Amino acid sequence: MIAEELINHMIPPLKMKDDAHKALLWMEELRSNELPVVDNEHFKGILTEEMILEENDIDKFVADFELENELCKVSRSSHLYDVLKVAADQEAKMVGVNDDDGKYMGVITVQDTVTAFAQSAAVQIPGSVLVISLNSLDYSLAEIARLVEENNAKILSSSVKEDEFDSAMLRLTLKINQLDLTAIIATLERFEYRIVAHFQEAKVEDGQKERIDMLLKFFDI
C-alpha cells in the first residue's frame, strides 16, 4: 500500500491567511488537535491546538505561528512502511503527501496508517512470530528464508533493527505462516542462529490471533 492510497480526504489544510479562530473551529469539528498547513500548494507543516492556546490570541494568523513538522512529508508513491518511519522520526501524528511535482495532495494520519497495516495480509493471515538475534555481518534474509522454507513454511513479513545494547548486533523479527515453530526453531538453531523469543498458537482462535497481532505491533513489523 502506498501513500496516495492512505490520504485522509476528510482533513482539509489550513492556509497561511486563515486565523486561529478558524483553525480551532475546524479542529473541534474534526475532533483533531492539529491540522496541516499549505501555502501555494506546498506543505508547510502542522498547526496544533496547543500552539494556539499558548498564544491566547484567536485573531492571530496561521502565518504568524512557528509550525511543526515541516519535513514530515512523503511522496505519493512512498510505501506504508516509509510513512510510518517518517512519522516516527518526526514524532508526528500526521504526514503530508506530495505529488511528483512536490505539490500537496493531502495528509495521512498515523492512526489511518496503523489501521491499514493491521488489515494487511501479513497481519491477518494466521501464523507465529519469531525473533532472532544475529551479528550484522551474518545477516542474510535469503539464507534464513531458505531454512524456513525447508520446513514447508513462508515468511509473511520481516523487520530488522539494530540492537539497542550492541550496535554490532541486529534483531530480526519474522511473521511466519505456520502455527508450530518447533521444527523451524530447531533448524535455525542447528545453523547457530540465536532465538530470542517466539510466540505460536496451538490453534487458530480469535483471542490468540489478537495476541499475535499485538506482539507484531510491539516489534514494529
Side-chain angles (χ1 to χ4, degrees):
M1 186 168 289
I2 61 174
E4 184 176 12
E5 299 170 338
L6 297 168
I7 292 175
N8 190 325
H9 296 286
M10 299 299 293
I11 300 178
L14 293 165
K15 296 182 174 60
M16 289 294 195
K17 63 182 180 181
D18 291 332
D19 58 35
H21 182 249
K22 179 178 180 179
L24 287 176
L25 288 176
W26 280 13
M27 288 178 190
E28 182 179 0
E29 182 177 345
L30 295 167
R31 297 183 179 179
S32 172
N33 59 6
E34 58 185 53
L35 286 172
V37 178
V38 173
D39 185 37
N40 293 323
E41 298 185 85
H42 288 85
F43 177 73
K44 303 303 292 184
I46 299 293
L47 178 66
T48 69
E49 180 183 38
E50 183 180 358
M51 295 162 60
I52 297 173
L53 296 179
E54 284 181 353
E55 292 295 327
N56 195 28
D57 183 0
I58 61 174
D59 294 322
K60 193 171 184 177
F61 292 107
V62 172
D64 297 326
F65 290 90
E66 185 175 344
L67 303 176
E68 297 180 349
N69 304 124
E70 182 179 358
L71 299 178
C72 194
K73 53 190 176 183
V74 297
S75 67
R76 61 187 293 182
S77 59
S78 296
H79 190 272
L80 180 152
Y81 290 165
D82 295 324
V83 176
L84 286 173
K85 184 179 187 306
V86 169
D89 289 345
Q90 298 290 320
E91 298 182 353
K93 297 178 182 178
M94 290 185 179
V95 178
V97 181
N98 291 335
D99 64 15
D100 297 334
D101 297 320
K103 294 182 178 180
Y104 178 81
M105 294 181 65
V107 74
I108 300 170
T109 69
V110 171
Q111 182 178 355
D112 289 339
T113 307
V114 172
T115 299
F117 175 73
Q119 294 172 347
S120 67
V123 175
Q124 293 298 321
I125 295 175
S128 303
V129 176
L130 185 64
V131 186
I132 304 171
S133 177
L134 68 166
N135 191 297
S136 58
L137 296 177
D138 299 328
Y139 173 63
S140 171
L141 184 58
E143 172 65 15
I144 294 171
R146 183 183 67 79
L147 296 175
V148 170
E149 290 171 5
E150 283 183 1
N151 291 277
N152 299 314
K154 296 286 186 182
I155 295 175
L156 298 174
S157 65
S158 65
S159 174
V160 62
K161 63 181 180 180
E162 184 179 284
D163 191 307
E164 59 182 315
F165 301 109
D166 187 349
S167 60
M169 301 295 291
L170 297 176
R171 182 160 292 202
L172 174 66
T173 306
L174 305 174
K175 170 79 180 280
I176 299 173
N177 71 334
Q178 196 169 97
L179 304 180
D180 186 356
L181 295 177
T182 304
I184 295 173
I185 290 174
T187 299
L188 291 170
E189 289 181 338
R190 191 167 65 250
F191 284 83
E192 300 184 347
Y193 285 101
R194 187 165 72 90
I195 309 302
V196 176
H198 62 90
F199 183 91
Q200 59 196 65
E201 298 172 308
K203 58 181 178 179
V204 185
E205 296 179 353
D206 291 340
Q208 292 174 317
K209 182 175 184 301
E210 181 179 353
R211 291 164 64 192
I212 284 188
D213 293 342
M214 290 295 293
L215 188 60
L216 287 173
K217 290 181 181 180
F218 176 79
F219 285 116
D220 299 326
I221 292 187

